[in-house]
Amino acid sequence: MLSLFIGGGSRLTPKTRTISVRVTADLKERAQKQLAKQELTLSAFIRQSLIVAANNEVASADFYDSPTALAAKAEAEAGETETIGSLQDLGDWLVSLDDAHD
């Protein structure tokens, strides 16, 4: 489990809270690696993300209108789909997609 300290100082005060997030070790390591390139820690990144959300500055995204979704829709409509097979096959395929990002 990844625990993040939100707030300043080295001790919890009545004005600070701890947020815990469950992620896989691999996801944590990959995120840390990418954030380090921008000189950010996980804690700083999540703190900044919470500030953005609290200030109602989160841009909503319509994923169905994204270029990727529109391309996938066009492929499906043209019959250019791939049959995955069983649920295990689907799981293996999803892992291979994630591994391709490493």
Side-chain angles (χ1 to χ4, degrees):
M1 177 169 29
L2 169 66
S3 294
L4 302 168
F5 177 74
I6 305 298
S10 60
R11 291 183 243 173
L12 288 177
T13 65
K15 294 184 179 185
T16 63
R17 299 291 184 262
T18 298
I19 298 176
S20 297
V21 180
R22 290 192 177 275
V23 297
T24 64
D26 177 63
L27 178 59
K28 177 185 174 189
E29 291 166 10
R30 289 187 300 131
Q32 286 176 315
K33 181 179 176 182
Q34 295 303 320
L35 290 170
K37 293 177 183 177
Q38 299 176 46
E39 299 182 5
L40 283 172
T41 63
L42 280 173
S43 185
F45 175 78
I46 292 177
R47 187 172 21 263
Q48 289 173 2
S49 297
L50 288 172
I51 291 168
V52 168
N55 292 336
N56 197 28
E57 298 170 350
V58 176
S60 62
D62 186 351
F63 295 107
Y64 296 114
D65 286 333
S66 70
T68 302
L70 292 173
K73 180 182 176 195
E75 288 174 7
E77 288 172 344
E80 300 170 358
T81 59
E82 181 179 343
T83 300
I84 302 301
S86 69
L87 285 177
Q88 180 61 49
D89 294 337
L90 175 61
D92 294 344
W93 179 71
L94 291 172
V95 167
S96 75
L97 291 177
D98 192 41
D99 290 344
H101 291 291
D102 292 340

